[in-house]
């Protein structure tokens, strides 16, 4: 198939070979959930095959493969980001965590495996059916007891927690991978719930690279819709004196916020 002057063929392992008009052949990684912003797909494949896949826990591999068959598989956390979260949680000795936006639970499982046996995750998602896709694997991994799953919008839960008063500054780590149009609203609440020195991770903060694209550039409808919300979040985080930030080009971009006061 020819696209923009390139001939596209698919190999048996799912990798796309694209041949340009000058005869040069370039590999384009086609793994489900692939969100790498690296310019070289071959380099991303190298990272996966050298660092990620050989060390990926068997339950995470199983869940990744099950999620690949889901019709909304693009929503899953990428394998390299899952590895990053797992190590980050161990580095900060996280014990009490929260996750907003669960999908089938790949990042949730990465978190649960990293926490000590008495660690806790408050997990929230509007769709329990998606969560139950990964639940048997989470249970088989022996970490389901760490997870308190709540179905429904997260904002009312956060508001109630703040109103209760006993949850202020109690979370070591919070991961947000949910509705981008509410990221600012989440941040206004989460900054009170994470402890001083604790971390909040906002996923998709580079949003398919669209954050640097001209406003009239061609984009998928959902990318264009959420783009301004992501830009608004990034601007707000950069100006927030209560946090230190680090934006990383892992997956589709993740911004870490460390509460300092």
């Amino acid at each position: 198939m020819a696209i923009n002057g390139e001939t596209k063929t698919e190999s048996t392992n799912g990798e796309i070979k694209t041949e340009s008009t000058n005869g040069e052949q370039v590999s384009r990684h086609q793994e489900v959930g692939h969100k790498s912003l690296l310019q070289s797909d071959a380099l991303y494949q190298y990272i996966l095959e050298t660092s990620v896949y050989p060390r990926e826990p068997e339950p995470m591999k199983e869940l990744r493969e099950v999620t690949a068959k889901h019709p909304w598989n693009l929503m899953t956390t990428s394998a390299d980001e899952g590895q990053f979260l797992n190590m980050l949680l161990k580095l900060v000795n996280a014990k009490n965590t929260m996750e907003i936006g669960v999908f089938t639970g790949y990042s949730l499982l990465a978190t649960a495996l990293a926490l000590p046996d008495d660690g806790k995750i408050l997990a929230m998602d509007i769709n329990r059916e998606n969560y139950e896709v990964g639940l048997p694997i989470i249970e088989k991994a022996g970490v389901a007891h760490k997870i308190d799953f709540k179905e429904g919008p997260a904002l009312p839960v956060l508001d109630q927690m703040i109103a209760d008063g006993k949850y202020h500054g109690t979370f070591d780590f919070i991961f947000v991978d949910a509705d981008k149009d509410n990221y600012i609203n989440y941040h206004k609440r989460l900054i009170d719930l994470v402890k001083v020195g604790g971390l909040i991770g906002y996923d998709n903060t580079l949003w398919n690279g669209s954050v640097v694209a001209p406003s009239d550039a061609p984009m998928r409808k959902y990318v264009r819709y959420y783009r301004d919300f992501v830009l608004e979040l990034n601007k707000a985080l950069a100006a927030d004196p209560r946090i230190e930030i680090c934006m990383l080009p892992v997956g589709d971009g993740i911004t870490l916020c460390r509460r300092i006061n």
Side-chain angles (χ1 to χ4, degrees), residues 31 33 48 52-53 55-68 73 75-86 89 99 101-113 130-131 133-135 137-138 175 177:
E31 181 196 339
L48 292 175
V52 180
Y53 293 158
R55 297 297 188 97
E56 186 179 32
E58 191 59 35
M60 290 181 64
K61 177 183 178 183
E62 183 180 357
L63 182 50
R64 175 169 55 83
E65 292 175 345
V66 167
T67 303
N73 51 49
M75 292 172 58
T76 192
T77 300
S78 62
D80 54 320
E81 186 174 8
Q83 183 186 57
F84 170 74
L85 290 173
N86 183 270
L89 286 156
E99 182 161 329
V102 171
F103 190 42
T104 62
Y106 186 79
S107 57
L108 183 63
L109 180 55
T111 299
L113 289 171
N130 288 333
Y131 168 61
V133 170
L135 184 56
I137 299 171
I138 293 171
F175 182 59
D177 183 8

Side-chain angles (χ1 to χ4, degrees), residues 152-171:
L155 287 175
V157 178
L158 299 178
D159 285 338
Q160 185 59 55
M161 293 174 71
I162 292 171
D164 286 347
K166 60 183 179 180
Y167 297 100
H168 286 251
T170 60
F171 287 89

Side-chain angles (χ1 to χ4, degrees), residues 155 176 178-188 202-207 210-211 219 221-238 247 255:
L155 287 175
V176 184
D179 42 333
K180 316 309 170 196
D181 46 345
N182 266 321
Y183 268 27
I184 285 285
N185 293 323
Y186 291 139
H187 186 68
K188 290 176 181 177
Y202 292 102
D203 201 21
N204 304 114
T205 51
L206 294 178
W207 200 229
S210 67
V211 291
M219 302 177 198
K221 187 176 181 180
Y222 78 94
V223 173
R224 182 177 300 282
Y225 176 78
Y226 289 113
R227 174 178 177 269
D228 287 346
F229 294 108
V230 174
L231 288 169
E232 180 187 14
L233 172 78
N234 291 341
K235 184 177 180 180
L237 295 182
M247 180 182 284
T255 299

